[in-house]
Amino acid sequence: MAHPLAPVCEAVALLLSPHAEVVLHDPETDEILGIWNSLSDRAAGDPSLLGELTELTETGPDVYGPYPKSLPDGRRLSSVSAVVRDAAGKPEAVLCVNVDRTAFEEAGRILAAFAAPMTGQPRVLFEHDWTETLNDLVGGFVRERGVAVDRLTKSDRLELLARLDKAGVLSQRRSVPAVARALRISRSALYQLLAQARKEPNDADPS
């Protein structure tokens, strides 16, 4: 007859497959009652070797782990074990879940590589690319203001144009159409704002 905990073990194994095995032990005979998604090539009837639990500290009532284990091929596991008691309080079974950390550690390495500090743009490639400067200044300005480009006020646009002009963006050939698109305004509106910004530089750019 299957153990009453067998459906629970199978459900947990299905949820964590293929990264974990679930093992149900008989503490009285020190044998494996059942194993689901075996990672360790063990089978029902093999010795449980539950003596290792006596060397661990409980992390909760009748719960041990997570604690580290290893497979013969070198893969590392994170394991948890729970002692299941009967109505009289006697240990009836020990349920262990052993999770193969390989996939998670590899994912962690990939994410860490993506999160590594960027070295910045090579100056030799970008020092003359005024569109990069345009994008950086506009992007930084809207983040600073906390609004989208098309929600900038006239005062905001005057200040931004002053910064772009100071950075030399507006002195570049064919920059006006690009700046107008970036600010979501027409060329004529850009010329009017630029004239005002250059006429009153102290008001437009407090810095």
Side-chain angles (χ1 to χ4, degrees), residues 66-98:
Y67 53 90
K69 295 182 70 174
S70 297
L71 294 175
D73 60 9
R75 284 179 292 169
R76 296 190 297 173
L77 307 175
S78 289
S79 303
V80 291
S81 298
V83 178
V84 181
R85 299 180 183 274
D86 60 20
K90 180 181 177 181
E92 178 183 12
V94 176
L95 190 157
C96 296
V97 180
N98 304 312

PDB file of all heavy atoms in Angstrom, residues 66-98:
ATOM      1  N   PRO A  66      17.436  24.841   5.344  1.00  0.00           N
ATOM      2  CA  PRO A  66      18.224  24.198   4.293  1.00  0.00           C
ATOM      3  C   PRO A  66      19.677  23.940   4.719  1.00  0.00           C
ATOM      4  O   PRO A  66      20.270  24.754   5.412  1.00  0.00           O
ATOM      5  CB  PRO A  66      18.167  25.191   3.129  1.00  0.00           C
ATOM      6  CG  PRO A  66      17.024  26.089   3.428  1.00  0.00           C
ATOM      7  CD  PRO A  66      16.957  26.171   4.922  1.00  0.00           C
ATOM      8  N   TYR A  67      20.210  22.800   4.283  1.00  0.00           N
ATOM      9  CA  TYR A  67      21.599  22.449   4.540  1.00  0.00           C
ATOM     10  C   TYR A  67      22.211  21.931   3.234  1.00  0.00           C
ATOM     11  O   TYR A  67      21.507  21.431   2.359  1.00  0.00           O
ATOM     12  CB  TYR A  67      21.705  21.408   5.658  1.00  0.00           C
ATOM     13  CG  TYR A  67      20.870  20.162   5.463  1.00  0.00           C
ATOM     14  CD1 TYR A  67      21.380  19.052   4.800  1.00  0.00           C
ATOM     15  CD2 TYR A  67      19.562  20.095   5.942  1.00  0.00           C
ATOM     16  CE1 TYR A  67      20.619  17.911   4.620  1.00  0.00           C
ATOM     17  CE2 TYR A  67      18.798  18.957   5.777  1.00  0.00           C
ATOM     18  CZ  TYR A  67      19.325  17.860   5.107  1.00  0.00           C
ATOM     19  OH  TYR A  67      18.564  16.736   4.922  1.00  0.00           O
ATOM     20  N   PRO A  68      23.528  22.064   3.074  1.00  0.00           N
ATOM     21  CA  PRO A  68      24.166  21.679   1.809  1.00  0.00           C
ATOM     22  C   PRO A  68      24.452  20.186   1.723  1.00  0.00           C
ATOM     23  O   PRO A  68      24.766  19.535   2.717  1.00  0.00           O
ATOM     24  CB  PRO A  68      25.473  22.482   1.836  1.00  0.00           C
ATOM     25  CG  PRO A  68      25.781  22.610   3.297  1.00  0.00           C
ATOM     26  CD  PRO A  68      24.461  22.748   3.995  1.00  0.00           C
ATOM     27  N   LYS A  69      24.325  19.663   0.529  1.00  0.00           N
ATOM     28  CA  LYS A  69      24.708  18.281   0.228  1.00  0.00           C
ATOM     29  C   LYS A  69      25.336  18.283  -1.163  1.00  0.00           C
ATOM     30  O   LYS A  69      25.226  19.268  -1.898  1.00  0.00           O
ATOM     31  CB  LYS A  69      23.506  17.339   0.261  1.00  0.00           C
ATOM     32  CG  LYS A  69      22.850  17.197   1.630  1.00  0.00           C
ATOM     33  CD  LYS A  69      21.688  16.216   1.591  1.00  0.00           C
ATOM     34  CE  LYS A  69      22.176  14.789   1.390  1.00  0.00           C
ATOM     35  NZ  LYS A  69      21.040  13.810   1.502  1.00  0.00           N
ATOM     36  N   SER A  70      25.968  17.180  -1.532  1.00  0.00           N
ATOM     37  CA  SER A  70      26.589  17.077  -2.859  1.00  0.00           C
ATOM     38  C   SER A  70      26.243  15.746  -3.491  1.00  0.00           C
ATOM     39  O   SER A  70      26.046  14.732  -2.796  1.00  0.00           O
ATOM     40  CB  SER A  70      28.111  17.215  -2.758  1.00  0.00           C
ATOM     41  OG  SER A  70      28.482  18.482  -2.279  1.00  0.00           O
ATOM     42  N   LEU A  71      26.172  15.745  -4.832  1.00  0.00           N
ATOM     43  CA  LEU A  71      25.990  14.517  -5.584  1.00  0.00           C
ATOM     44  C   LEU A  71      27.352  13.969  -6.000  1.00  0.00           C
ATOM     45  O   LEU A  71      28.340  14.718  -6.023  1.00  0.00           O
ATOM     46  CB  LEU A  71      25.130  14.783  -6.824  1.00  0.00           C
ATOM     47  CG  LEU A  71      23.673  15.194  -6.563  1.00  0.00           C
ATOM     48  CD1 LEU A  71      22.986  15.548  -7.872  1.00  0.00           C
ATOM     49  CD2 LEU A  71      22.921  14.070  -5.855  1.00  0.00           C
ATOM     50  N   PRO A  72      27.438  12.702  -6.354  1.00  0.00           N
ATOM     51  CA  PRO A  72      28.725  12.126  -6.752  1.00  0.00           C
ATOM     52  C   PRO A  72      29.379  12.837  -7.935  1.00  0.00           C
ATOM     53  O   PRO A  72      30.609  12.826  -8.069  1.00  0.00           O
ATOM     54  CB  PRO A  72      28.368  10.675  -7.121  1.00  0.00           C
ATOM     55  CG  PRO A  72      27.143  10.379  -6.324  1.00  0.00           C
ATOM     56  CD  PRO A  72      26.384  11.670  -6.278  1.00  0.00           C
ATOM     57  N   ASP A  73      28.567  13.452  -8.810  1.00  0.00           N
ATOM     58  CA  ASP A  73      29.146  14.138  -9.970  1.00  0.00           C
ATOM     59  C   ASP A  73      29.578  15.565  -9.655  1.00  0.00           C
ATOM     60  O   ASP A  73      29.982  16.311 -10.546  1.00  0.00           O
ATOM     61  CB  ASP A  73      28.168  14.135 -11.146  1.00  0.00           C
ATOM     62  CG  ASP A  73      26.849  14.842 -10.829  1.00  0.00           C
ATOM     63  OD1 ASP A  73      26.754  15.482  -9.762  1.00  0.00           O
ATOM     64  OD2 ASP A  73      25.912  14.751 -11.652  1.00  0.00           O
ATOM     65  N   GLY A  74      29.472  15.960  -8.396  1.00  0.00           N
ATOM     66  CA  GLY A  74      29.950  17.273  -7.986  1.00  0.00           C
ATOM     67  C   GLY A  74      28.876  18.332  -7.873  1.00  0.00           C
ATOM     68  O   GLY A  74      29.137  19.421  -7.350  1.00  0.00           O
ATOM     69  N   ARG A  75      27.678  18.043  -8.354  1.00  0.00           N
ATOM     70  CA  ARG A  75      26.608  19.038  -8.233  1.00  0.00           C
ATOM     71  C   ARG A  75      26.260  19.267  -6.766  1.00  0.00           C
ATOM     72  O   ARG A  75      26.261  18.338  -5.965  1.00  0.00           O
ATOM     73  CB  ARG A  75      25.365  18.584  -8.990  1.00  0.00           C
ATOM     74  CG  ARG A  75      25.470  18.731 -10.499  1.00  0.00           C
ATOM     75  CD  ARG A  75      24.215  18.248 -11.183  1.00  0.00           C
ATOM     76  NE  ARG A  75      24.054  16.794 -11.048  1.00  0.00           N
ATOM     77  CZ  ARG A  75      22.944  16.138 -11.370  1.00  0.00           C
ATOM     78  NH1 ARG A  75      21.876  16.802 -11.803  1.00  0.00           N
ATOM     79  NH2 ARG A  75      22.878  14.821 -11.244  1.00  0.00           N
ATOM     80  N   ARG A  76      25.960  20.520  -6.445  1.00  0.00           N
ATOM     81  CA  ARG A  76      25.626  20.867  -5.072  1.00  0.00           C
ATOM     82  C   ARG A  76      24.111  20.961  -4.902  1.00  0.00           C
ATOM     83  O   ARG A  76      23.411  21.432  -5.788  1.00  0.00           O
ATOM     84  CB  ARG A  76      26.299  22.180  -4.675  1.00  0.00           C
ATOM     85  CG  ARG A  76      27.825  22.093  -4.682  1.00  0.00           C
ATOM     86  CD  ARG A  76      28.452  23.308  -4.055  1.00  0.00           C
ATOM     87  NE  ARG A  76      28.143  24.521  -4.806  1.00  0.00           N
ATOM     88  CZ  ARG A  76      28.471  25.734  -4.388  1.00  0.00           C
ATOM     89  NH1 ARG A  76      29.078  25.895  -3.229  1.00  0.00           N
ATOM     90  NH2 ARG A  76      28.181  26.794  -5.128  1.00  0.00           N
ATOM     91  N   LEU A  77      23.660  20.515  -3.749  1.00  0.00           N
ATOM     92  CA  LEU A  77      22.238  20.531  -3.443  1.00  0.00           C
ATOM     93  C   LEU A  77      21.970  21.399  -2.222  1.00  0.00           C
ATOM     94  O   LEU A  77      22.826  21.565  -1.354  1.00  0.00           O
ATOM     95  CB  LEU A  77      21.730  19.119  -3.141  1.00  0.00           C
ATOM     96  CG  LEU A  77      21.994  18.008  -4.161  1.00  0.00           C
ATOM     97  CD1 LEU A  77      21.504  16.679  -3.606  1.00  0.00           C
ATOM     98  CD2 LEU A  77      21.313  18.319  -5.478  1.00  0.00           C
ATOM     99  N   SER A  78      20.756  21.944  -2.172  1.00  0.00           N
ATOM    100  CA  SER A  78      20.224  22.543  -0.954  1.00  0.00           C
ATOM    101  C   SER A  78      19.083  21.649  -0.492  1.00  0.00           C
ATOM    102  O   SER A  78      18.168  21.357  -1.280  1.00  0.00           O
ATOM    103  CB  SER A  78      19.719  23.963  -1.209  1.00  0.00           C
ATOM    104  OG  SER A  78      20.797  24.841  -1.429  1.00  0.00           O
ATOM    105  N   SER A  79      19.140  21.191   0.753  1.00  0.00           N
ATOM    106  CA  SER A  79      18.188  20.196   1.226  1.00  0.00           C
ATOM    107  C   SER A  79      17.426  20.680   2.454  1.00  0.00           C
ATOM    108  O   SER A  79      17.965  21.430   3.280  1.00  0.00           O
ATOM    109  CB  SER A  79      18.917  18.891   1.566  1.00  0.00           C
ATOM    110  OG  SER A  79      19.631  18.412   0.439  1.00  0.00           O
ATOM    111  N   VAL A  80      16.195  20.237   2.543  1.00  0.00           N
ATOM    112  CA  VAL A  80      15.391  20.447   3.752  1.00  0.00           C
ATOM    113  C   VAL A  80      14.757  19.115   4.115  1.00  0.00           C
ATOM    114  O   VAL A  80      14.431  18.304   3.227  1.00  0.00           O
ATOM    115  CB  VAL A  80      14.299  21.525   3.569  1.00  0.00           C
ATOM    116  CG1 VAL A  80      14.899  22.910   3.424  1.00  0.00           C
ATOM    117  CG2 VAL A  80      13.408  21.203   2.383  1.00  0.00           C
ATOM    118  N   SER A  81      14.586  18.872   5.407  1.00  0.00           N
ATOM    119  CA  SER A  81      13.977  17.630   5.876  1.00  0.00           C
ATOM    120  C   SER A  81      12.937  17.953   6.936  1.00  0.00           C
ATOM    121  O   SER A  81      13.119  18.869   7.746  1.00  0.00           O
ATOM    122  CB  SER A  81      15.038  16.695   6.462  1.00  0.00           C
ATOM    123  OG  SER A  81      15.986  16.324   5.473  1.00  0.00           O
ATOM    124  N   ALA A  82      11.860  17.196   6.924  1.00  0.00           N
ATOM    125  CA  ALA A  82      10.796  17.381   7.908  1.00  0.00           C
ATOM    126  C   ALA A  82      10.420  16.026   8.491  1.00  0.00           C
ATOM    127  O   ALA A  82      10.209  15.057   7.756  1.00  0.00           O
ATOM    128  CB  ALA A  82       9.575  18.031   7.264  1.00  0.00           C
ATOM    129  N   VAL A  83      10.353  15.965   9.803  1.00  0.00           N
ATOM    130  CA  VAL A  83       9.934  14.751  10.495  1.00  0.00           C
ATOM    131  C   VAL A  83       8.411  14.780  10.639  1.00  0.00           C
ATOM    132  O   VAL A  83       7.849  15.751  11.156  1.00  0.00           O
ATOM    133  CB  VAL A  83      10.594  14.650  11.883  1.00  0.00           C
ATOM    134  CG1 VAL A  83      10.099  13.402  12.618  1.00  0.00           C
ATOM    135  CG2 VAL A  83      12.113  14.630  11.758  1.00  0.00           C
ATOM    136  N   VAL A  84       7.764  13.734  10.153  1.00  0.00           N
ATOM    137  CA  VAL A  84       6.304  13.621  10.233  1.00  0.00           C
ATOM    138  C   VAL A  84       5.974  12.631  11.340  1.00  0.00           C
ATOM    139  O   VAL A  84       6.457  11.485  11.334  1.00  0.00           O
ATOM    140  CB  VAL A  84       5.711  13.141   8.892  1.00  0.00           C
ATOM    141  CG1 VAL A  84       4.183  13.054   8.996  1.00  0.00           C
ATOM    142  CG2 VAL A  84       6.122  14.085   7.765  1.00  0.00           C
ATOM    143  N   ARG A  85       5.178  13.048  12.310  1.00  0.00           N
ATOM    144  CA  ARG A  85       4.859  12.205  13.463  1.00  0.00           C
ATOM    145  C   ARG A  85       3.409  11.711  13.399  1.00  0.00           C
ATOM    146  O   ARG A  85       2.535  12.384  12.830  1.00  0.00           O
ATOM    147  CB  ARG A  85       5.093  12.984  14.762  1.00  0.00           C
ATOM    148  CG  ARG A  85       6.545  13.434  14.928  1.00  0.00           C
ATOM    149  CD  ARG A  85       6.757  14.200  16.224  1.00  0.00           C
ATOM    150  NE  ARG A  85       8.137  14.677  16.343  1.00  0.00           N
ATOM    151  CZ  ARG A  85       9.124  13.948  16.836  1.00  0.00           C
ATOM    152  NH1 ARG A  85       8.885  12.724  17.296  1.00  0.00           N
ATOM    153  NH2 ARG A  85      10.351  14.439  16.894  1.00  0.00           N
ATOM    154  N   ASP A  86       3.186  10.568  14.015  1.00  0.00           N
ATOM    155  CA  ASP A  86       1.828  10.033  14.063  1.00  0.00           C
ATOM    156  C   ASP A  86       1.057  10.665  15.222  1.00  0.00           C
ATOM    157  O   ASP A  86       1.565  11.560  15.911  1.00  0.00           O
ATOM    158  CB  ASP A  86       1.837   8.503  14.182  1.00  0.00           C
ATOM    159  CG  ASP A  86       2.543   8.015  15.443  1.00  0.00           C
ATOM    160  OD1 ASP A  86       2.700   8.808  16.404  1.00  0.00           O
ATOM    161  OD2 ASP A  86       2.937   6.832  15.482  1.00  0.00           O
ATOM    162  N   ALA A  87      -0.166  10.211  15.457  1.00  0.00           N
ATOM    163  CA  ALA A  87      -1.014  10.816  16.489  1.00  0.00           C
ATOM    164  C   ALA A  87      -0.407  10.705  17.876  1.00  0.00           C
ATOM    165  O   ALA A  87      -0.668  11.540  18.754  1.00  0.00           O
ATOM    166  CB  ALA A  87      -2.400  10.160  16.467  1.00  0.00           C
ATOM    167  N   ALA A  88       0.434   9.702  18.082  1.00  0.00           N
ATOM    168  CA  ALA A  88       1.055   9.524  19.396  1.00  0.00           C
ATOM    169  C   ALA A  88       2.357  10.302  19.531  1.00  0.00           C
ATOM    170  O   ALA A  88       2.997  10.268  20.587  1.00  0.00           O
ATOM    171  CB  ALA A  88       1.311   8.036  19.645  1.00  0.00           C
ATOM    172  N   GLY A  89       2.744  11.000  18.463  1.00  0.00           N
ATOM    173  CA  GLY A  89       3.980  11.781  18.516  1.00  0.00           C
ATOM    174  C   GLY A  89       5.218  11.015  18.118  1.00  0.00           C
ATOM    175  O   GLY A  89       6.341  11.527  18.206  1.00  0.00           O
ATOM    176  N   LYS A  90       5.034   9.794  17.647  1.00  0.00           N
ATOM    177  CA  LYS A  90       6.172   8.980  17.218  1.00  0.00           C
ATOM    178  C   LYS A  90       6.542   9.315  15.768  1.00  0.00           C
ATOM    179  O   LYS A  90       5.659   9.455  14.921  1.00  0.00           O
ATOM    180  CB  LYS A  90       5.810   7.495  17.329  1.00  0.00           C
ATOM    181  CG  LYS A  90       6.928   6.561  16.904  1.00  0.00           C
ATOM    182  CD  LYS A  90       6.472   5.107  17.016  1.00  0.00           C
ATOM    183  CE  LYS A  90       7.550   4.154  16.528  1.00  0.00           C
ATOM    184  NZ  LYS A  90       7.109   2.745  16.602  1.00  0.00           N
ATOM    185  N   PRO A  91       7.856   9.441  15.443  1.00  0.00           N
ATOM    186  CA  PRO A  91       8.255   9.711  14.059  1.00  0.00           C
ATOM    187  C   PRO A  91       7.758   8.617  13.120  1.00  0.00           C
ATOM    188  O   PRO A  91       8.067   7.435  13.310  1.00  0.00           O
ATOM    189  CB  PRO A  91       9.782   9.735  14.124  1.00  0.00           C
ATOM    190  CG  PRO A  91      10.084  10.096  15.537  1.00  0.00           C
ATOM    191  CD  PRO A  91       9.013   9.441  16.359  1.00  0.00           C
ATOM    192  N   GLU A  92       6.962   9.016  12.140  1.00  0.00           N
ATOM    193  CA  GLU A  92       6.368   8.062  11.199  1.00  0.00           C
ATOM    194  C   GLU A  92       7.106   8.056   9.870  1.00  0.00           C
ATOM    195  O   GLU A  92       7.211   7.024   9.198  1.00  0.00           O
ATOM    196  CB  GLU A  92       4.900   8.416  10.984  1.00  0.00           C
ATOM    197  CG  GLU A  92       4.182   7.523  10.001  1.00  0.00           C
ATOM    198  CD  GLU A  92       2.747   7.975   9.771  1.00  0.00           C
ATOM    199  OE1 GLU A  92       2.391   9.091  10.199  1.00  0.00           O
ATOM    200  OE2 GLU A  92       1.977   7.193   9.180  1.00  0.00           O
ATOM    201  N   ALA A  93       7.608   9.216   9.482  1.00  0.00           N
ATOM    202  CA  ALA A  93       8.321   9.334   8.215  1.00  0.00           C
ATOM    203  C   ALA A  93       9.172  10.594   8.260  1.00  0.00           C
ATOM    204  O   ALA A  93       8.949  11.492   9.088  1.00  0.00           O
ATOM    205  CB  ALA A  93       7.346   9.384   7.044  1.00  0.00           C
ATOM    206  N   VAL A  94      10.158  10.631   7.374  1.00  0.00           N
ATOM    207  CA  VAL A  94      10.966  11.831   7.196  1.00  0.00           C
ATOM    208  C   VAL A  94      10.913  12.191   5.715  1.00  0.00           C
ATOM    209  O   VAL A  94      11.264  11.366   4.852  1.00  0.00           O
ATOM    210  CB  VAL A  94      12.430  11.621   7.636  1.00  0.00           C
ATOM    211  CG1 VAL A  94      13.254  12.878   7.340  1.00  0.00           C
ATOM    212  CG2 VAL A  94      12.497  11.274   9.123  1.00  0.00           C
ATOM    213  N   LEU A  95      10.440  13.390   5.427  1.00  0.00           N
ATOM    214  CA  LEU A  95      10.312  13.854   4.049  1.00  0.00           C
ATOM    215  C   LEU A  95      11.467  14.806   3.753  1.00  0.00           C
ATOM    216  O   LEU A  95      11.680  15.790   4.474  1.00  0.00           O
ATOM    217  CB  LEU A  95       8.970  14.551   3.858  1.00  0.00           C
ATOM    218  CG  LEU A  95       8.546  14.891   2.424  1.00  0.00           C
ATOM    219  CD1 LEU A  95       7.025  15.042   2.362  1.00  0.00           C
ATOM    220  CD2 LEU A  95       9.201  16.160   1.913  1.00  0.00           C
ATOM    221  N   CYS A  96      12.218  14.509   2.697  1.00  0.00           N
ATOM    222  CA  CYS A  96      13.364  15.347   2.318  1.00  0.00           C
ATOM    223  C   CYS A  96      13.184  15.862   0.896  1.00  0.00           C
ATOM    224  O   CYS A  96      12.767  15.109   0.003  1.00  0.00           O
ATOM    225  CB  CYS A  96      14.670  14.562   2.397  1.00  0.00           C
ATOM    226  SG  CYS A  96      15.088  14.013   4.065  1.00  0.00           S
ATOM    227  N   VAL A  97      13.504  17.130   0.696  1.00  0.00           N
ATOM    228  CA  VAL A  97      13.501  17.739  -0.635  1.00  0.00           C
ATOM    229  C   VAL A  97      14.920  18.213  -0.922  1.00  0.00           C
ATOM    230  O   VAL A  97      15.478  19.021  -0.157  1.00  0.00           O
ATOM    231  CB  VAL A  97      12.512  18.915  -0.724  1.00  0.00           C
ATOM    232  CG1 VAL A  97      12.532  19.518  -2.127  1.00  0.00           C
ATOM    233  CG2 VAL A  97      11.102  18.467  -0.351  1.00  0.00           C
ATOM    234  N   ASN A  98      15.502  17.708  -1.996  1.00  0.00           N
ATOM    235  CA  ASN A  98      16.877  18.040  -2.362  1.00  0.00           C
ATOM    236  C   ASN A  98      16.871  18.793  -3.694  1.00  0.00           C
ATOM    237  O   ASN A  98      16.499  18.231  -4.728  1.00  0.00           O
ATOM    238  CB  ASN A  98      17.714  16.764  -2.497  1.00  0.00           C
ATOM    239  CG  ASN A  98      17.688  15.933  -1.229  1.00  0.00           C
ATOM    240  OD1 ASN A  98      17.883  16.453  -0.137  1.00  0.00           O
ATOM    241  ND2 ASN A  98      17.422  14.636  -1.367  1.00  0.00           N
TER     242      ASN A  98
END
